[in-house]
Amino acid sequence: MNDKNLNSNAGHDGMDNRLWSYIDGTATAPEKTVIEQLLASEAAWKAKYQELLEVHQLLHSTELEKPSLRFTKNVMEEISKMHIAPAAKNYINNRIIWGLGIFFITLLTGFIVYGFGQMNFNSGQSSPIGKTLDKLNFSNLFSNNLINAFMFVNVVIGLVLLDSFLSAKRKAHRKAA
Amino acid sequence: MSTGLNDNEIISKVLSGDHQAYAGLVDRYQSYVFTLALRMVKTREDAEEVAQDVFVKAFKYLADFKGASKFSTWLYTIVHNTGISFLRIKKLDVHSLDNEQVFERADNLDSGMRANMVEQKSKIRMVHDAISMLSPDDAQIITLFYKAEQSLEETAQVLGIETNAAKVRLHRARTRLKEKMEVYFSEEIRNL
């Protein structure tokens, strides 16, 4: 079976879609050639093409609707009471975003490192995961001075970053007002 | 007035403090925005409210327009989002494209219209009436593509979908429009 027959046997939806692409000018060059051949040889394709083209032309012939004559005046009156908001990029400080990201990654890494540090990899039992997890001593997590200091520093950094983020936002709002 | 300036020049003027220059953009795009809004919300009163809201929002967030796309594409994205919100607030049905209820709804809305249809209806009016029977989604994509001077890529951007999806939606919307015209305006079509 050749391409032409395959194309001729395409369903109505396929025909419609291909013809719309052809009419819109979005069909590829080889597809355009195939459709042109079909239009020249197949009456059904030609009839459908005329039908769709008519709809296309009718849609182009429609006019835009017009709002009331006072429309522009109404909009201008409305915006006279307003201010343009500062661009989002001006009040979103990338350094703060990065700082917050680094803070949380550090926190997470600290917990993971500590967790692995508590594990006994040489326990050599038949079910190592269950057994070694049992050996994790979470009570040490908050009793160890080093970890407590680490947590404290992270919390302070977090609060400082949060404060600078909120201050920047407040300043931006004041400036906009 | 700022009629001789292009969109980006007007935007620069507005952002540098000349708020009156914004009237140039409103004048330039009010018919496009109003038509798009009307296709979604169906009544002129609601469309005017949505259109006004769109221009107010566009003004407020003008500093966020980066110029990466055409101003019209950015503006029509606001129309799309504002229209959807309006329909949700009004609790009107936003029909999906594949929802066959769209046709039933149009049939019900228009049950009395067929009998009283004015025979000499102009073809433009006929197309407008047929579009008004479509779902907001269908009517919007047709208007964006044919009347709002948006390419398929830009239409897809406004609707927040892929270009291929926009292409399929447009094809389906036109097919449904054709069906509407054949059902309700068969006589007018014969006289064309």
Side-chain angles (χ1 to χ4, degrees), chain A residues 17 20-21 24 26 51-52 55-56 59-68 71-72 76 78-79 82 84-85 87-88, chain B residues 19 22 27 30-32 34-35 38 44 48 52 55-56 59-60 63-64 124 127-128 142 146-147 167 171 174 177-178:
Chain A
N17 287 343
W20 277 128
S21 298
D24 292 340
T26 57
E51 214 176 279
L52 300 186
V55 174
H56 184 72
L59 282 167
H60 269 302
S61 70
T62 56
E63 288 162 359
L64 291 167
E65 303 279 352
K66 300 236 181 291
S68 66
F71 186 81
T72 303
M76 295 311 287
E78 195 67 32
I79 66 164
M82 301 175 65
I84 299 174
Chain B
H19 290 184
Y22 190 66
D27 282 340
Q30 58 174 292
S31 298
Y32 296 100
F34 179 71
T35 305
L38 187 60
R44 295 187 73 85
E48 188 133 344
Q52 191 170 321
F55 280 109
V56 169
F59 174 79
K60 192 174 172 188
D64 278 327
I124 291 171
V127 179
H128 275 293
I142 284 176
Y146 281 97
K147 301 317 303 172
K167 194 172 168 180
H171 289 181
R174 286 186 293 206
L177 180 76
K178 190 162 76 70

CSV table of all heavy atoms in Angstrom, one decimal, chain A residues 17 20-21 24 26 51-52 55-56 59-68 71-72 76 78-79 82 84-85 87-88, chain B residues 19 22 27 30-32 34-35 38 44 48 52 55-56 59-60 63-64 124 127-128 142 146-147 167 171 174 177-178:
chain,number,residue,atom,x,y,z
A,17,ASN,N,-7.5,17.5,11.0
A,17,ASN,CA,-6.3,18.0,11.7
A,17,ASN,C,-5.2,18.4,10.7
A,17,ASN,O,-4.6,19.4,10.8
A,17,ASN,CB,-5.8,17.0,12.7
A,17,ASN,CG,-6.6,16.9,13.9
A,17,ASN,OD1,-7.5,17.8,14.2
A,17,ASN,ND2,-6.5,15.9,14.7
A,20,TRP,N,-6.3,21.5,8.8
A,20,TRP,CA,-6.2,22.7,9.6
A,20,TRP,C,-4.7,23.1,9.7
A,20,TRP,O,-4.4,24.3,9.6
A,20,TRP,CB,-6.7,22.5,11.0
A,20,TRP,CG,-8.2,22.6,11.2
A,20,TRP,CD1,-9.1,21.7,11.7
A,20,TRP,CD2,-9.0,23.7,10.8
A,20,TRP,NE1,-10.3,22.2,11.7
A,20,TRP,CE2,-10.4,23.4,11.1
A,20,TRP,CE3,-8.8,25.0,10.1
A,20,TRP,CZ2,-11.4,24.3,10.9
A,20,TRP,CZ3,-9.8,25.8,9.9
A,20,TRP,CH2,-11.1,25.5,10.3
A,21,SER,N,-3.8,22.1,9.8
A,21,SER,CA,-2.4,22.5,9.9
A,21,SER,C,-2.0,23.1,8.6
A,21,SER,O,-1.2,24.1,8.5
A,21,SER,CB,-1.6,21.2,10.1
A,21,SER,OG,-1.9,20.7,11.4
A,24,ASP,N,-3.5,26.6,8.5
A,24,ASP,CA,-2.8,27.5,9.4
A,24,ASP,C,-1.3,27.8,9.0
A,24,ASP,O,-0.7,28.7,9.6
A,24,ASP,CB,-2.8,26.9,10.8
A,24,ASP,CG,-4.1,26.9,11.4
A,24,ASP,OD1,-5.0,27.6,11.0
A,24,ASP,OD2,-4.3,26.1,12.4
A,26,THR,N,1.1,25.6,9.5
A,26,THR,CA,2.0,24.9,10.4
A,26,THR,C,2.4,23.5,10.0
A,26,THR,O,3.2,22.9,10.7
A,26,THR,CB,1.3,24.8,11.8
A,26,THR,OG1,0.1,24.1,11.7
A,26,THR,CG2,1.0,26.2,12.4
A,51,GLU,N,-14.6,23.4,2.9
A,51,GLU,CA,-15.4,23.6,4.1
A,51,GLU,C,-14.6,24.3,5.2
A,51,GLU,O,-15.1,25.3,5.8
A,51,GLU,CB,-15.8,22.2,4.5
A,51,GLU,CG,-17.2,22.1,5.1
A,51,GLU,CD,-17.4,20.6,5.5
A,51,GLU,OE1,-17.8,19.8,4.5
A,51,GLU,OE2,-17.2,20.2,6.6
A,52,LEU,N,-13.5,23.8,5.5
A,52,LEU,CA,-12.6,24.3,6.6
A,52,LEU,C,-12.1,25.7,6.2
A,52,LEU,O,-12.1,26.6,7.1
A,52,LEU,CB,-11.5,23.4,6.9
A,52,LEU,CG,-11.8,22.0,7.4
A,52,LEU,CD1,-10.6,21.2,7.8
A,52,LEU,CD2,-12.8,22.0,8.5
A,55,VAL,N,-14.7,28.3,7.0
A,55,VAL,CA,-14.8,28.6,8.5
A,55,VAL,C,-13.6,29.5,8.8
A,55,VAL,O,-13.8,30.5,9.6
A,55,VAL,CB,-14.7,27.3,9.3
A,55,VAL,CG1,-14.6,27.6,10.8
A,55,VAL,CG2,-15.9,26.4,9.0
A,56,HIS,N,-12.4,29.2,8.3
A,56,HIS,CA,-11.2,30.0,8.6
A,56,HIS,C,-11.4,31.4,8.2
A,56,HIS,O,-11.1,32.4,8.9
A,56,HIS,CB,-10.1,29.3,7.8
A,56,HIS,CG,-8.7,29.9,8.1
A,56,HIS,ND1,-8.0,29.8,9.2
A,56,HIS,CD2,-8.0,30.7,7.2
A,56,HIS,CE1,-6.9,30.4,9.1
A,56,HIS,NE2,-6.8,31.0,7.9
A,59,LEU,N,-13.9,33.3,10.3
A,59,LEU,CA,-13.3,33.6,11.6
A,59,LEU,C,-12.5,34.9,11.5
A,59,LEU,O,-12.4,35.7,12.4
A,59,LEU,CB,-12.6,32.5,12.2
A,59,LEU,CG,-13.4,31.4,12.9
A,59,LEU,CD1,-12.7,30.1,13.2
A,59,LEU,CD2,-14.1,31.9,14.1
A,60,HIS,N,-11.8,35.0,10.4
A,60,HIS,CA,-10.9,36.1,10.1
A,60,HIS,C,-11.8,37.4,9.9
A,60,HIS,O,-11.4,38.5,10.2
A,60,HIS,CB,-10.0,35.9,8.9
A,60,HIS,CG,-8.7,35.3,9.3
A,60,HIS,ND1,-7.8,35.9,10.2
A,60,HIS,CD2,-8.1,34.2,8.9
A,60,HIS,CE1,-6.8,35.2,10.3
A,60,HIS,NE2,-6.9,34.1,9.6
A,61,SER,N,-13.0,37.2,9.4
A,61,SER,CA,-13.8,38.3,9.1
A,61,SER,C,-14.6,38.9,10.3
A,61,SER,O,-15.1,40.0,10.2
A,61,SER,CB,-14.9,38.0,8.0
A,61,SER,OG,-15.8,37.1,8.6
A,62,THR,N,-14.5,38.2,11.4
A,62,THR,CA,-15.2,38.7,12.6
A,62,THR,C,-14.5,40.0,13.1
A,62,THR,O,-13.4,40.2,12.9
A,62,THR,CB,-15.2,37.7,13.8
A,62,THR,OG1,-13.9,37.3,14.1
A,62,THR,CG2,-16.1,36.5,13.4
A,63,GLU,N,-15.3,40.8,13.9
A,63,GLU,CA,-14.8,42.0,14.4
A,63,GLU,C,-14.7,42.0,15.9
A,63,GLU,O,-15.3,41.1,16.5
A,63,GLU,CB,-15.7,43.2,14.0
A,63,GLU,CG,-15.6,43.5,12.5
A,63,GLU,CD,-16.8,44.3,12.1
A,63,GLU,OE1,-17.7,44.6,12.9
A,63,GLU,OE2,-16.9,44.7,10.9
A,64,LEU,N,-13.8,42.8,16.4
A,64,LEU,CA,-13.7,42.9,17.9
A,64,LEU,C,-14.9,43.6,18.5
A,64,LEU,O,-15.4,44.5,17.9
A,64,LEU,CB,-12.4,43.6,18.2
A,64,LEU,CG,-11.1,42.9,17.9
A,64,LEU,CD1,-9.9,43.9,18.0
A,64,LEU,CD2,-10.8,41.7,18.8
A,65,GLU,N,-15.2,43.2,19.7
A,65,GLU,CA,-16.3,43.8,20.4
A,65,GLU,C,-15.7,45.1,21.1
A,65,GLU,O,-14.5,45.1,21.5
A,65,GLU,CB,-16.8,42.9,21.5
A,65,GLU,CG,-17.3,41.6,21.0
A,65,GLU,CD,-18.8,41.7,20.5
A,65,GLU,OE1,-19.4,42.7,20.6
A,65,GLU,OE2,-19.2,40.7,19.9
A,66,LYS,N,-16.5,46.1,21.3
A,66,LYS,CA,-16.0,47.3,21.9
A,66,LYS,C,-16.7,47.5,23.3
A,66,LYS,O,-17.9,47.3,23.4
A,66,LYS,CB,-16.4,48.5,21.0
A,66,LYS,CG,-15.8,48.4,19.6
A,66,LYS,CD,-15.0,49.6,19.3
A,66,LYS,CE,-14.4,49.6,17.9
A,66,LYS,NZ,-13.4,48.6,17.8
A,67,PRO,N,-15.9,47.8,24.3
A,67,PRO,CA,-16.5,48.1,25.6
A,67,PRO,C,-17.1,49.5,25.6
A,67,PRO,O,-17.1,50.2,24.5
A,67,PRO,CB,-15.2,48.1,26.5
A,67,PRO,CG,-14.1,48.5,25.7
A,67,PRO,CD,-14.4,48.0,24.3
A,68,SER,N,-17.7,49.9,26.7
A,68,SER,CA,-18.4,51.2,26.8
A,68,SER,C,-17.4,52.4,26.5
A,68,SER,O,-16.2,52.2,26.6
A,68,SER,CB,-19.0,51.4,28.1
A,68,SER,OG,-18.0,51.5,29.1
A,71,PHE,N,-14.8,53.4,29.1
A,71,PHE,CA,-13.9,52.4,29.6
A,71,PHE,C,-12.5,52.9,30.0
A,71,PHE,O,-12.1,52.7,31.1
A,71,PHE,CB,-13.8,51.3,28.6
A,71,PHE,CG,-13.0,50.1,29.1
A,71,PHE,CD1,-13.6,49.1,29.9
A,71,PHE,CD2,-11.6,50.0,28.8
A,71,PHE,CE1,-12.9,48.1,30.4
A,71,PHE,CE2,-10.9,48.9,29.3
A,71,PHE,CZ,-11.5,47.9,30.1
A,72,THR,N,-11.9,53.6,29.1
A,72,THR,CA,-10.5,54.1,29.4
A,72,THR,C,-10.5,55.0,30.6
A,72,THR,O,-9.7,54.9,31.5
A,72,THR,CB,-9.9,54.8,28.2
A,72,THR,OG1,-9.9,53.9,27.1
A,72,THR,CG2,-8.5,55.3,28.5
A,76,MET,N,-8.5,54.6,34.1
A,76,MET,CA,-7.6,55.6,34.6
A,76,MET,C,-8.0,56.1,36.0
A,76,MET,O,-7.1,56.4,36.8
A,76,MET,CB,-7.5,56.7,33.6
A,76,MET,CG,-6.9,56.3,32.2
A,76,MET,SD,-5.4,55.4,32.3
A,76,MET,CE,-4.2,56.7,32.8
A,78,GLU,N,-9.5,54.4,38.2
A,78,GLU,CA,-9.2,53.3,39.2
A,78,GLU,C,-7.7,53.3,39.5
A,78,GLU,O,-7.4,53.2,40.7
A,78,GLU,CB,-9.6,52.0,38.5
A,78,GLU,CG,-9.7,50.8,39.4
A,78,GLU,CD,-10.8,50.9,40.5
A,78,GLU,OE1,-11.9,51.5,40.2
A,78,GLU,OE2,-10.6,50.4,41.6
A,79,ILE,N,-6.9,53.5,38.5
A,79,ILE,CA,-5.5,53.4,38.7
A,79,ILE,C,-4.9,54.6,39.4
A,79,ILE,O,-3.8,54.6,39.9
A,79,ILE,CB,-4.6,53.0,37.5
A,79,ILE,CG1,-4.7,54.1,36.4
A,79,ILE,CG2,-5.1,51.7,36.9
A,79,ILE,CD1,-3.6,54.0,35.4
A,82,MET,N,-3.9,54.1,42.8
A,82,MET,CA,-3.0,53.0,43.0
A,82,MET,C,-1.5,53.4,42.7
A,82,MET,O,-1.2,54.4,42.1
A,82,MET,CB,-3.3,51.8,42.1
A,82,MET,CG,-4.7,51.3,42.3
A,82,MET,SD,-5.0,50.1,41.1
A,82,MET,CE,-3.9,48.8,41.6
A,84,ILE,N,2.3,51.5,41.4
A,84,ILE,CA,2.8,50.3,40.7
A,84,ILE,C,3.7,49.5,41.8
A,84,ILE,O,4.5,50.1,42.4
A,84,ILE,CB,3.7,50.7,39.5
A,84,ILE,CG1,2.8,51.4,38.5
A,84,ILE,CG2,4.3,49.4,38.9
A,84,ILE,CD1,3.6,51.9,37.3
A,85,ALA,N,3.4,48.2,41.9
A,85,ALA,CA,4.1,47.4,42.9
A,85,ALA,C,5.5,47.2,42.4
A,85,ALA,O,5.8,47.2,41.2
A,85,ALA,CB,3.4,46.1,43.0
A,87,ALA,N,8.9,45.5,41.2
A,87,ALA,CA,9.1,44.2,40.6
A,87,ALA,C,9.5,43.2,41.6
A,87,ALA,O,10.3,43.5,42.5
A,87,ALA,CB,10.2,44.4,39.5
A,88,ALA,N,9.0,42.0,41.4
A,88,ALA,CA,9.3,40.9,42.4
A,88,ALA,C,10.8,40.7,42.5
A,88,ALA,O,11.3,40.5,43.7
A,88,ALA,CB,8.7,39.6,41.9
B,19,HIS,N,2.0,58.2,34.7
B,19,HIS,CA,0.9,57.2,34.8
B,19,HIS,C,-0.2,57.5,33.7
B,19,HIS,O,-0.9,56.5,33.3
B,19,HIS,CB,0.3,57.2,36.2
B,19,HIS,CG,1.2,56.6,37.2
B,19,HIS,ND1,0.8,56.5,38.5
B,19,HIS,CD2,2.5,56.2,37.1
B,19,HIS,CE1,1.8,55.9,39.2
B,19,HIS,NE2,2.9,55.8,38.4
B,22,TYR,N,-0.4,55.4,30.5
B,22,TYR,CA,-1.0,54.1,30.5
B,22,TYR,C,-2.3,54.1,29.7
B,22,TYR,O,-2.7,53.1,29.1
B,22,TYR,CB,-1.3,53.7,31.9
B,22,TYR,CG,-1.7,52.2,32.1
B,22,TYR,CD1,-0.8,51.2,31.8
B,22,TYR,CD2,-3.0,51.9,32.6
B,22,TYR,CE1,-1.2,49.9,32.0
B,22,TYR,CE2,-3.4,50.6,32.7
B,22,TYR,CZ,-2.5,49.6,32.4
B,22,TYR,OH,-2.9,48.3,32.6
B,27,ASP,N,-6.2,52.2,25.6
B,27,ASP,CA,-6.9,52.5,24.3
B,27,ASP,C,-6.6,51.4,23.2
B,27,ASP,O,-7.4,51.0,22.5
B,27,ASP,CB,-6.5,53.9,23.7
B,27,ASP,CG,-7.3,55.0,24.5
B,27,ASP,OD1,-8.3,54.7,25.1
B,27,ASP,OD2,-6.8,56.1,24.5
B,30,GLN,N,-8.0,47.7,24.6
B,30,GLN,CA,-9.3,47.5,25.3
B,30,GLN,C,-10.3,46.6,24.5
B,30,GLN,O,-10.9,45.8,25.1
B,30,GLN,CB,-10.0,48.9,25.6
B,30,GLN,CG,-10.2,49.8,24.4
B,30,GLN,CD,-11.1,51.0,24.9
B,30,GLN,OE1,-12.2,50.9,25.2
B,30,GLN,NE2,-10.4,52.1,24.9
B,31,SER,N,-10.3,46.7,23.2
B,31,SER,CA,-11.2,45.9,22.4
B,31,SER,C,-10.8,44.4,22.5
B,31,SER,O,-11.6,43.5,22.5
B,31,SER,CB,-11.2,46.4,21.0
B,31,SER,OG,-11.7,47.7,20.9
B,32,TYR,N,-9.5,44.2,22.4
B,32,TYR,CA,-9.0,42.8,22.4
B,32,TYR,C,-9.3,42.2,23.8
B,32,TYR,O,-9.8,41.1,23.9
B,32,TYR,CB,-7.4,42.8,22.2
B,32,TYR,CG,-7.0,43.3,20.9
B,32,TYR,CD1,-6.5,44.6,20.7
B,32,TYR,CD2,-7.0,42.4,19.8
B,32,TYR,CE1,-6.1,45.0,19.5
B,32,TYR,CE2,-6.6,42.9,18.5
B,32,TYR,CZ,-6.1,44.1,18.4
B,32,TYR,OH,-5.7,44.6,17.2
B,34,PHE,N,-11.5,43.2,26.0
B,34,PHE,CA,-12.9,43.1,26.2
B,34,PHE,C,-13.5,41.9,25.4
B,34,PHE,O,-14.3,41.1,26.0
B,34,PHE,CB,-13.6,44.4,25.8
B,34,PHE,CG,-15.1,44.4,26.0
B,34,PHE,CD1,-15.7,44.4,27.2
B,34,PHE,CD2,-15.9,44.3,24.9
B,34,PHE,CE1,-17.0,44.4,27.4
B,34,PHE,CE2,-17.3,44.3,25.0
B,34,PHE,CZ,-17.9,44.4,26.3
B,35,THR,N,-13.1,41.7,24.2
B,35,THR,CA,-13.6,40.6,23.4
B,35,THR,C,-13.2,39.3,24.0
B,35,THR,O,-14.1,38.4,24.1
B,35,THR,CB,-13.0,40.7,21.9
B,35,THR,OG1,-13.3,42.0,21.4
B,35,THR,CG2,-13.6,39.6,21.1
B,38,LEU,N,-15.3,38.8,27.1
B,38,LEU,CA,-16.7,38.5,26.7
B,38,LEU,C,-16.9,37.0,26.2
B,38,LEU,O,-17.9,36.4,26.5
B,38,LEU,CB,-17.1,39.5,25.6
B,38,LEU,CG,-18.6,39.4,25.1
B,38,LEU,CD1,-19.5,39.8,26.3
B,38,LEU,CD2,-18.8,40.4,24.0
B,44,ARG,N,-22.0,41.3,28.6
B,44,ARG,CA,-21.2,42.5,28.4
B,44,ARG,C,-20.8,43.2,29.7
B,44,ARG,O,-19.7,43.7,29.9
B,44,ARG,CB,-21.9,43.5,27.5
B,44,ARG,CG,-22.1,43.0,26.1
B,44,ARG,CD,-22.7,44.1,25.2
B,44,ARG,NE,-21.7,45.1,24.9
B,44,ARG,CZ,-20.9,45.1,23.9
B,44,ARG,NH1,-20.9,44.0,23.1
B,44,ARG,NH2,-20.0,46.0,23.6
B,48,GLU,N,-17.0,43.7,30.9
B,48,GLU,CA,-16.4,45.0,31.2
B,48,GLU,C,-15.8,45.0,32.5
B,48,GLU,O,-14.7,45.6,32.7
B,48,GLU,CB,-17.6,46.1,31.1
B,48,GLU,CG,-17.0,47.5,31.1
B,48,GLU,CD,-17.6,48.4,30.1
B,48,GLU,OE1,-18.2,48.0,29.1
B,48,GLU,OE2,-17.4,49.6,30.3
B,52,GLN,N,-11.8,45.6,33.0
B,52,GLN,CA,-11.3,46.7,33.8
B,52,GLN,C,-10.3,46.2,34.8
B,52,GLN,O,-9.2,46.8,35.1
B,52,GLN,CB,-12.5,47.4,34.5
B,52,GLN,CG,-12.1,48.7,35.1
B,52,GLN,CD,-13.2,49.6,35.6
B,52,GLN,OE1,-14.3,49.6,34.9
B,52,GLN,NE2,-13.1,50.1,36.8
B,55,PHE,N,-6.9,45.5,33.3
B,55,PHE,CA,-6.0,46.7,33.1
B,55,PHE,C,-5.5,47.2,34.4
B,55,PHE,O,-4.4,47.7,34.5
B,55,PHE,CB,-6.8,47.7,32.3
B,55,PHE,CG,-6.8,47.5,30.9
B,55,PHE,CD1,-8.0,47.1,30.2
B,55,PHE,CD2,-5.6,47.6,30.1
B,55,PHE,CE1,-8.0,46.8,28.9
B,55,PHE,CE2,-5.6,47.3,28.7
B,55,PHE,CZ,-6.8,46.9,28.1
B,56,VAL,N,-6.3,47.1,35.5
B,56,VAL,CA,-5.9,47.6,36.8
B,56,VAL,C,-4.7,46.7,37.3
B,56,VAL,O,-3.7,47.1,37.8
B,56,VAL,CB,-7.1,47.6,37.8
B,56,VAL,CG1,-6.6,47.8,39.2
B,56,VAL,CG2,-8.0,48.7,37.4
B,59,PHE,N,-1.5,47.2,35.4
B,59,PHE,CA,-0.9,48.5,35.8
B,59,PHE,C,-0.1,48.2,37.1
B,59,PHE,O,1.1,48.6,37.2
B,59,PHE,CB,-1.9,49.6,36.0
B,59,PHE,CG,-1.4,50.8,36.6
B,59,PHE,CD1,-0.7,51.8,35.9
B,59,PHE,CD2,-1.5,51.1,38.0
B,59,PHE,CE1,-0.1,52.9,36.4
B,59,PHE,CE2,-1.0,52.2,38.6
B,59,PHE,CZ,-0.3,53.1,37.8
B,60,LYS,N,-0.8,47.6,38.0
B,60,LYS,CA,-0.2,47.3,39.3
B,60,LYS,C,1.1,46.5,39.2
B,60,LYS,O,2.1,46.7,39.9
B,60,LYS,CB,-1.2,46.6,40.2
B,60,LYS,CG,-0.8,46.5,41.7
B,60,LYS,CD,-1.9,45.9,42.5
B,60,LYS,CE,-1.4,45.7,43.9
B,60,LYS,NZ,-2.4,44.9,44.7
B,63,ALA,N,5.7,46.6,36.6
B,63,ALA,CA,7.1,46.4,36.8
B,63,ALA,C,7.6,45.0,36.6
B,63,ALA,O,8.8,44.8,36.4
B,63,ALA,CB,7.5,47.0,38.2
B,64,ASP,N,6.7,44.1,36.7
B,64,ASP,CA,7.1,42.6,36.5
B,64,ASP,C,7.1,42.2,35.1
B,64,ASP,O,7.5,41.1,34.8
B,64,ASP,CB,6.1,41.7,37.3
B,64,ASP,CG,6.4,41.7,38.8
B,64,ASP,OD1,7.6,41.7,39.1
B,64,ASP,OD2,5.5,41.6,39.6
B,124,ILE,N,-21.1,37.9,9.8
B,124,ILE,CA,-20.3,38.2,10.9
B,124,ILE,C,-21.0,37.9,12.2
B,124,ILE,O,-20.5,37.3,13.2
B,124,ILE,CB,-19.8,39.6,10.8
B,124,ILE,CG1,-18.8,39.7,9.7
B,124,ILE,CG2,-19.1,40.1,12.1
B,124,ILE,CD1,-18.3,41.1,9.3
B,127,VAL,N,-21.2,34.3,13.0
B,127,VAL,CA,-20.0,33.7,13.6
B,127,VAL,C,-20.0,34.1,15.0
B,127,VAL,O,-19.7,33.2,15.9
B,127,VAL,CB,-18.8,34.1,12.8
B,127,VAL,CG1,-17.5,33.6,13.5
B,127,VAL,CG2,-18.8,33.7,11.4
B,128,HIS,N,-20.3,35.3,15.3
B,128,HIS,CA,-20.3,35.8,16.7
B,128,HIS,C,-21.2,35.0,17.6
B,128,HIS,O,-20.9,34.5,18.7
B,128,HIS,CB,-20.7,37.3,16.8
B,128,HIS,CG,-19.5,38.2,16.6
B,128,HIS,ND1,-18.5,38.3,17.5
B,128,HIS,CD2,-19.2,39.1,15.6
B,128,HIS,CE1,-17.6,39.1,17.0
B,128,HIS,NE2,-18.0,39.6,15.9
B,142,ILE,N,-10.1,30.4,20.1
B,142,ILE,CA,-10.4,30.9,18.7
B,142,ILE,C,-10.2,32.4,18.7
B,142,ILE,O,-9.6,32.9,17.7
B,142,ILE,CB,-11.9,30.6,18.4
B,142,ILE,CG1,-12.0,29.1,18.0
B,142,ILE,CG2,-12.4,31.4,17.2
B,142,ILE,CD1,-13.4,28.6,17.7
B,146,TYR,N,-7.4,34.1,16.2
B,146,TYR,CA,-7.9,34.9,15.1
B,146,TYR,C,-8.0,36.4,15.3
B,146,TYR,O,-7.8,37.1,14.4
B,146,TYR,CB,-9.3,34.3,14.7
B,146,TYR,CG,-9.2,33.1,13.9
B,146,TYR,CD1,-9.4,31.8,14.5
B,146,TYR,CD2,-8.9,33.1,12.5
B,146,TYR,CE1,-9.3,30.7,13.8
B,146,TYR,CE2,-8.8,31.9,11.8
B,146,TYR,CZ,-8.9,30.7,12.4
B,146,TYR,OH,-8.8,29.5,11.7
B,147,LYS,N,-8.3,36.8,16.5
B,147,LYS,CA,-8.5,38.2,16.7
B,147,LYS,C,-7.5,38.9,17.5
B,147,LYS,O,-7.4,40.1,17.5
B,147,LYS,CB,-9.9,38.5,17.3
B,147,LYS,CG,-11.1,38.0,16.5
B,147,LYS,CD,-11.1,38.2,15.0
B,147,LYS,CE,-11.0,39.6,14.5
B,147,LYS,NZ,-10.8,39.6,13.0
B,167,LYS,N,-2.6,23.6,19.6
B,167,LYS,CA,-2.9,23.3,18.2
B,167,LYS,C,-4.1,22.3,18.2
B,167,LYS,O,-5.1,22.5,17.5
B,167,LYS,CB,-1.7,22.6,17.6
B,167,LYS,CG,-1.7,22.5,16.1
B,167,LYS,CD,-0.4,22.0,15.6
B,167,LYS,CE,-0.4,21.6,14.2
B,167,LYS,NZ,0.8,21.1,13.7
B,171,HIS,N,-7.9,23.1,16.9
B,171,HIS,CA,-8.6,22.3,15.9
B,171,HIS,C,-9.9,21.8,16.3
B,171,HIS,O,-10.9,21.9,15.6
B,171,HIS,CB,-7.7,21.1,15.5
B,171,HIS,CG,-6.5,21.4,14.7
B,171,HIS,ND1,-5.6,20.5,14.3
B,171,HIS,CD2,-6.0,22.6,14.3
B,171,HIS,CE1,-4.6,21.1,13.7
B,171,HIS,NE2,-4.8,22.4,13.7
B,174,ARG,N,-12.5,24.7,16.5
B,174,ARG,CA,-13.0,25.1,15.2
B,174,ARG,C,-14.0,24.1,14.7
B,174,ARG,O,-15.0,24.4,14.1
B,174,ARG,CB,-11.9,25.3,14.2
B,174,ARG,CG,-11.1,26.6,14.5
B,174,ARG,CD,-10.0,26.8,13.4
B,174,ARG,NE,-9.0,25.9,13.5
B,174,ARG,CZ,-7.7,26.1,13.0
B,174,ARG,NH1,-7.4,27.3,12.5
B,174,ARG,NH2,-6.8,25.2,13.1
B,177,LEU,N,-17.1,24.7,16.4
B,177,LEU,CA,-17.8,25.9,15.9
B,177,LEU,C,-18.5,25.6,14.6
B,177,LEU,O,-19.6,26.1,14.3
B,177,LEU,CB,-16.7,27.0,15.7
B,177,LEU,CG,-17.3,28.3,15.1
B,177,LEU,CD1,-18.0,29.1,16.2
B,177,LEU,CD2,-16.1,29.2,14.6
B,178,LYS,N,-17.8,24.8,13.8
B,178,LYS,CA,-18.4,24.5,12.5
B,178,LYS,C,-19.7,23.7,12.7
B,178,LYS,O,-20.7,23.9,12.0
B,178,LYS,CB,-17.4,23.6,11.7
B,178,LYS,CG,-17.8,23.4,10.2
B,178,LYS,CD,-16.6,22.9,9.4
B,178,LYS,CE,-16.2,21.5,9.7
B,178,LYS,NZ,-17.1,20.5,9.2
